[in-house]
């Protein structure tokens, strides 16, 4: 089975480096790509085009979206065949709403208050997150050496993708699954479970730990994804 992995805010294809070999060991062909997240002219539609271009035309993959990647994967499914969608601690877009409008209306954000606020405005609504805030949000349970490796690779994020009205006009007719990280500090685990039930008509599968199980539990995450193929 082919599996395509779509990263979230501030990240890149590198974030799947520990998960990829575990999936390949299970016999899967894996595709990952760098979304143009630092380009303020790009939104979810442009991200979806990059994902589509990274997947061979004859592939019908399991399509996994992590975090912000959840805004992208339904758009990919609307333009090409996919086997099913998997939302990994991810946003679920609502047609006609922006992600930030959803965040104001629904308890999407993590429930653990941050003790740091390291955000750098690079201009044009492009932002960078500092290492301590990234550690609190994304890597609080990641081994220190792996967290350092990841933090060094973080990329600036253009926030237009969160401000724009979702270009999704209707939910694609594709089966969807959900994975909830039980100790997630970036996305509210209770919200993930609720929308999985109410919007995807499925039960979110739980995995221990925080927002980055591809760094903390790659073998366990690979087994969960393998069970969804």
């Amino acid at each position: 089975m082919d599996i395509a992995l779509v990263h979230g805010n501030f990240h890149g294809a590198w974030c799947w480096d520990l998960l990829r070999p575990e999936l390949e060991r299970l016999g899967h062909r894996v595709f990952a790509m760098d979304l143009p997240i630092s380009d303020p002219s790009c939104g979810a539609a442009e991200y979806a085009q990059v994902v589509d271009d990274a997947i061979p035309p004859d592939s019908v993959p399991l399509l996994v979206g992590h975090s912000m990647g959840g805004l992208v994967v339904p758009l990919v499914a609307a333009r090409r065949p996919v086997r099913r969608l998997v939302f990994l601690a991810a946003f679920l877009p609502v047609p006609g709403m922006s992600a930030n409008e959803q965040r104001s209306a629904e308890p999407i954000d993590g429930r653990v208050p941050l003790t740091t606020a390291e955000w750098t405005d690079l201009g044009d609504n492009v932002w960078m997150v500092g290492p301590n805030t990234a550690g609190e949000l994304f890597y609080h349970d990641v081994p220190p050496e792996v967290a350092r490796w990841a933090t060094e690779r973080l990329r600036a994020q253009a926030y237009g993708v969160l401000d724009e009205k979702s270009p999704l006009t209707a939910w694609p007719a594709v089966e969807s699954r959900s994975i909830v990280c039980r100790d997630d500090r970036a996305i509210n685990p209770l919200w993930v479970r609720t929308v999985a039930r109410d919007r995807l008509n499925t039960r979110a599968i739980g995995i221990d730990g925080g927002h980055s199980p591809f760094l903390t539990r790659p073998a366990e995450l690979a087994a969960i994804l393998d069970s969804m193929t």
Side-chain angles (χ1 to χ4, degrees):
M1 166 62 67
D2 289 347
I3 298 179
L5 304 170
V6 181
H7 66 80
N9 279 347
F10 301 104
H11 286 69
W14 58 264
C15 74
W16 308 109
D17 282 1
L18 301 184
L19 178 63
R20 179 192 289 269
E22 299 293 345
L23 291 171
E24 292 174 341
R25 194 170 294 118
L26 294 171
H28 301 292
R29 187 169 59 157
V30 179
F31 304 101
M33 67 298 298
D34 286 325
L35 302 180
I37 61 171
S38 302
D39 186 342
S41 70
C42 292
E46 288 76 22
Y47 293 7
Q49 181 64 60
V50 170
V51 176
D52 194 4
D53 290 344
I55 303 170
D58 61 346
S59 175
V60 184
L62 184 78
L63 185 57
V64 182
H66 175 245
S67 197
M68 178 277 293
L71 301 176
V72 180
V73 292
L75 295 170
V76 180
R79 63 195 301 161
R80 64 164 298 133
V82 302
R83 180 174 178 85
R84 59 179 56 95
L85 300 177
V86 179
F87 293 86
L88 172 59
F91 283 95
L92 263 65
V94 173
M97 287 187 71
S98 72
N100 280 335
E101 286 172 335
Q102 285 186 257
R103 291 169 70 195
S104 296
E106 304 173 28
I108 297 176
D109 292 338
R111 302 291 92 181
V112 177
L114 299 181
T115 65
T116 62
E118 296 176 341
W119 306 102
T120 302
D121 183 353
L122 302 178
D124 292 326
N125 205 22
V126 179
W127 293 77
M128 189 63 195
V129 61
N132 293 307
T133 299
E136 288 194 74
L137 272 177
F138 308 138
Y139 307 137
H140 75 273
D141 61 336
V142 176
E145 65 280 5
V146 179
R148 284 192 297 272
W149 171 86
T151 301
E152 290 171 356
R153 287 161 176 77
L154 291 173
R155 303 156 63 205
Q157 175 69 51
Y159 277 12
V161 72
L162 302 177
D163 293 333
E164 69 176 5
K165 304 287 186 184
S166 174
L168 188 69
T169 57
W171 199 261
V174 179
E175 181 184 4
S176 297
R177 303 288 182 86
S178 177
I179 300 173
V180 58
C181 301
R182 296 187 179 102
D183 193 24
D184 199 334
R185 296 183 180 181
I187 299 286
N188 181 0
L190 179 58
W191 177 83
V192 173
R193 293 185 185 279
T194 299
V195 295
R197 181 192 66 226
D198 295 347
R199 300 182 192 172
L200 301 180
N201 194 31
T202 190
R203 180 180 66 86
I205 302 300
I207 188 169
D208 285 341
H211 197 58
S212 306
F214 39 82
L215 299 180
T216 57
R217 295 168 176 81
E220 183 180 353
L221 179 57
I224 291 173
L225 293 174
D226 179 66
S227 73
M228 295 179 173
T229 59

